[in-house]
């Protein structure tokens, strides 16, 4: 799955393809490596900032309680859908998912 996430036609991939066609494989590889290094720096800064914020006990408890509440709500909605499933009309020309 991770390779499929890298194959989308984003800005960097277009730039790598264009550079590869115009200047060759070496320059395209360097552009890809530079983009990867930039992504890693961004990740490291984001992870460090998140670790600093989560180290505050009030924030950690708030995130834990709100995450627990959200997961319980989603589980409740899933159980309701199993008990009373909605009928989905798949005939052509209908736009409403509920019937």
């Amino acid at each position: 799955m991770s390779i499929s996430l890298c194959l989308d036609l984003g800005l960097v991939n277009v730039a790598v393809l264009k550079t590869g066609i115009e200047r060759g494989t070496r320059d395209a590889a360097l552009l890809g490596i530079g983009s990867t290094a930039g992504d890693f720096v961004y990740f490291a800064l984001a992870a460090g900032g998140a670790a600093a914020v989560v180290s505050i006990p009030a924030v950690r408890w708030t995130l834990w309680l709100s995450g627990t509440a959200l997961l319980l709500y989603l589980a409740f909605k899933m159980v309701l859908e199993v008990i009373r499933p909605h009928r989905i009309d798949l005939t052509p020309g209908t736009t409403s998912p509920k019937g």
Side-chain angles (χ1 to χ4, degrees):
M1 179 169 154
S2 63
I3 192 73
S4 66
L5 294 175
C6 297
L7 293 178
D8 63 340
L9 204 56
L11 292 173
V12 173
N13 287 341
V14 170
V16 168
L17 288 172
K18 183 179 178 194
T19 303
I21 290 169
E22 292 176 353
R23 298 184 194 166
T25 308
R26 181 177 177 271
D27 288 343
L30 289 174
L31 178 64
I33 291 169
S35 173
T36 302
D39 286 346
F40 179 75
V41 168
Y42 177 73
F43 162 75
L45 291 172
V53 169
V54 174
S55 68
I56 302 168
V59 173
R60 185 174 44 242
W61 275 97
T62 302
L63 287 173
W64 182 77
L65 290 173
S66 60
T68 301
L70 176 65
L71 288 175
L72 287 173
Y73 170 74
L74 292 174
F76 176 73
K77 295 286 284 183
M78 189 169 54
V79 168
L80 284 181
E81 186 67 28
V82 169
I83 293 171
R84 292 181 286 147
H86 291 92
R87 191 176 125 268
I88 300 175
D89 188 11
L90 298 176
T91 57
T94 57
T95 57
S96 176
K98 294 182 180 179

